[in-house]
């Protein structure tokens, strides 16, 4: 009889030769529990997904209630389905006035794909500007705007007409021209190791897009829903996107993404040809019910209000000569070490000692810290104690 681990390795497609192989029985709050009952602090929220932690009762009730009514009925956009309508209404109520039309997808990558099609269709232009060290997902279009050749070269040819500029470099904004359909940028770069742009830069970027008629796509797939200490990260910079990309925390633990724009821009998908973007499961009723419930919890419990203090506490604790820099905003942080080797050893020891942290795709010498927003000050102290112990252990070995 094969164990679950053996079956996983034999039958489930693998993405590396060294999966973590942690096996969990249940999850609650900020904790994951293995078969032996050992608790692990989830300090990465399943990569930015579990902003409310695990097993929120309000979200679970919404899921169960919706399952009893109906699940999939029809491909996206044909039937009036209560969870989609209510969720879109709630999202629009907390967004700037120009973001008034929500297209629900299955994932962040699909939201990227839909948005890239939309800008070409609306502007009639073909050039796309993206950024070095950006990450927008793994599908062909999303990969085309990823700024890391190492992860792309094996899959070429990709989308033509994509040009890359440097993140947070005002000089490079000159490359945005009247030929540019869109600029796609993470409001705060994630896989680059949490890079926060300057206020002046983001405002200059928005001004340049306005001057040239290029649409500004802000990818907040990781950064939204309170993670940075504001509901949306663009609120830190006093700008508004033409198209906003959401996913990860959007579904409260269920798979859902969205691209959101104005009615005028979004209407471009309706004709020449009709059905300009199609998805079967996008905006699945159960996922939308979960997402709406999660958003209501986030707002009703004022979880965003406590993020700044949580960040301050973390920064005050995570001080060690081996930590070169702590970067980020809110509970979207990166701890930079000398090299990947040291970072990986520290990460492995943290996991061994019950704290799950991770590294970044384009910045392998930095540690990812992105806990659920419900983490208490006591839990932050406990987690930081484990991290510092691991650093101390390898700093002396």
């Amino acid at each position: 009889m094969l164990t679950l681990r053996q079956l996983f390795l034999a039958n489930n497609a693998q993405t590396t030769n060294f999966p973590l192989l942690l096996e969990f029985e249940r999850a609650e709050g900020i904790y994951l529990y293995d078969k032996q009952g050992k608790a692990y602090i989830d300090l990465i929220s399943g990569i930015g997904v579990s902003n409310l932690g695990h097993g929120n009762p309000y979200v679970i009730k919404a899921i169960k209630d919706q399952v009893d009514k109906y699940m999939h009925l029809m491909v996206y956009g044909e039937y009036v389905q209560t969870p989609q309508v209510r969720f879109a209404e709630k999202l629009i109520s907390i967004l700037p006035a120009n973001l008034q039309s929500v297209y629900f997808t299955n994932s962040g990558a699909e939201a990227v794909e839909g948005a890239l099609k939309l800008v070409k269709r609306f502007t009639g232009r073909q050039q796309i500007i993206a950024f070095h060290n950006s990450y927008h997902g793994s599908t062909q279009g999303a990969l085309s705007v990823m700024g890391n050749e190492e992860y792309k070269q094996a899959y070429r040819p990709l989308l033509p007409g994509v040009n890359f500029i440097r993140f947070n470099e005002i000089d490079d904004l000159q490359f945005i021209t009247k030929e540019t359909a869109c600029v796609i940028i993470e409001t705060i770069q994630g896989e680059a190791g949490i890079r926060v742009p300057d206020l002046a830069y983001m405002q200059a970027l928005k001004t340049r897009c306005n001057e040239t008629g290029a649409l500004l796509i802000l990818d907040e797939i990781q950064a939204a829903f309170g993670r940075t200490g504001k509901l949306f990260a663009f609120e830190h910079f006093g700008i508004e996107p033409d198209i906003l990309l959401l996913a990860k925390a959007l579904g409260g633990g269920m798979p859902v993404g969205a691209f959101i724009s104005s009615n005028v821009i979004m209407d471009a998908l309706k004709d020449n040809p009709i059905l300009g973007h199609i998805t079967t499961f996008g905006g699945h009723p159960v996922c939308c019910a979960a997402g709406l419930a999660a958003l209501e919890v986030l707002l009703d419990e004022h979880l965003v209000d406590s993020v700044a203090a949580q960040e301050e506490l973390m920064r005050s604790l995570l001080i060690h000569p081996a930590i070169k820099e702590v970067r980020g905003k809110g509970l979207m942080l990166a701890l930079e070490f000398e090299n990947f080797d040291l970072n990986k050893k520290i990460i492995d020891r943290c996991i061994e000692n019950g704290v799950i942290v991770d590294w970044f795709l384009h910045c392998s010498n930095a540690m990812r810290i992105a806990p659920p927003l419900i983490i208490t000050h006591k839990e932050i102290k406990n987690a930081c104690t484990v991290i510092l112990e691991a650093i101390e252990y390898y700093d002396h070995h």
Side-chain angles (χ1 to χ4, degrees), residues 251-279:
M254 294 292 277
V256 63
F259 57 105
I260 306 176
S261 192
S262 67
N263 289 323
V264 174
I265 294 172
M266 205 67 97
D267 279 354
L269 295 176
K270 295 200 308 199
D271 55 30
N272 290 324
I274 64 164
L275 303 171
H277 193 67
I278 301 172
T279 170

Side-chain angles (χ1 to χ4, degrees), residues 32-229:
L32 308 175
Y33 297 91
D34 69 13
K35 279 180 150 170
Q36 287 69 48
K38 179 180 172 180
Y40 294 75
I41 295 177
D42 182 2
L43 219 59
I44 55 174
S45 305
I47 313 293
V49 170
S50 311
N51 281 17
L52 301 184
H54 301 274
N56 182 279
Y58 192 68
V59 175
I60 288 171
K61 183 181 186 306
I63 290 168
K64 288 178 174 174
D65 288 350
Q66 184 54 43
V67 166
D68 287 341
K69 290 177 184 139
Y70 58 83
M71 288 191 277
H72 177 79
L73 299 180
M74 177 58 164
V75 298
Y76 180 78
E78 296 295 336
Y79 293 172
V80 180
Q81 300 183 55
T82 305
Q84 285 179 0
V85 174
R86 290 293 176 223
F87 193 19
E89 178 189 35
K90 188 72 174 179
L91 282 167
I92 284 159
S93 75
I94 57 171
L95 284 166
N98 72 311
L99 297 174
Q100 54 205 182
S101 181
V102 181
Y103 193 119
F104 287 118
T105 62
N106 298 283
S107 67
E110 195 200 333
V112 172
E113 298 288 341
L116 292 178
K117 286 169 65 181
L118 178 60
V119 294
K120 289 181 179 177
R121 178 71 189 84
F122 180 76
T123 63
R125 303 174 184 181
Q126 293 176 354
Q127 188 201 59
I128 293 166
I129 299 270
F131 289 82
H132 294 300
N133 293 322
S134 61
Y135 181 82
H136 299 285
S138 245
T139 48
Q140 296 265 319
L143 196 61
S144 302
V145 292
M146 182 209 276
N148 186 330
E149 195 54 35
E150 184 190 343
Y151 289 99
K152 292 161 66 159
Q153 44 87 21
Y155 302 103
R156 290 194 177 278
L158 293 165
L159 279 185
V162 181
N163 294 359
F164 289 89
I165 62 176
R166 293 171 297 170
F167 186 77
N168 206 31
E169 289 285 344
I170 285 188
D171 287 352
D172 284 13
L173 298 181
Q174 64 180 315
F175 298 114
I176 304 165
T177 69
K178 288 185 160 44
E179 306 291 304
T180 308
C182 74
V183 177
I184 180 167
I185 185 171
E186 297 157 274
T187 313
I188 292 172
Q189 278 196 329
E191 295 310 308
I194 315 297
R195 309 284 172 173
V196 183
D198 300 330
L199 174 68
Y201 174 78
M202 291 301 271
Q203 294 189 339
L205 168 64
K206 177 63 177 165
T207 301
R208 183 68 181 160
C209 287
N210 289 348
E211 287 166 2
T212 57
L215 298 183
L216 179 60
I217 302 176
L218 290 185
D219 177 340
E220 297 221 358
I221 289 163
Q222 263 192 78
F225 301 108
R227 178 143 302 282
T228 65

Side-chain angles (χ1 to χ4, degrees), residues 51-52 94 220 223-236 249 294-312 329-331 371-375 377:
N51 281 17
L52 301 184
I94 57 171
E220 297 221 358
F225 301 108
R227 178 143 302 282
T228 65
K230 299 265 190 196
L231 207 46
F232 300 98
F234 63 78
E235 295 175 54
H236 292 288
L295 183 53
E296 286 172 342
V297 170
L298 185 74
L299 298 170
D300 294 349
E301 298 186 8
H302 305 287
L303 293 177
V304 185
D305 298 350
S306 56
V307 171
Q310 290 163 316
E311 176 191 3
E312 203 179 319
K329 240 184 182 15
L331 293 177
L373 310 188
I374 60 165
I375 193 168
H377 283 219

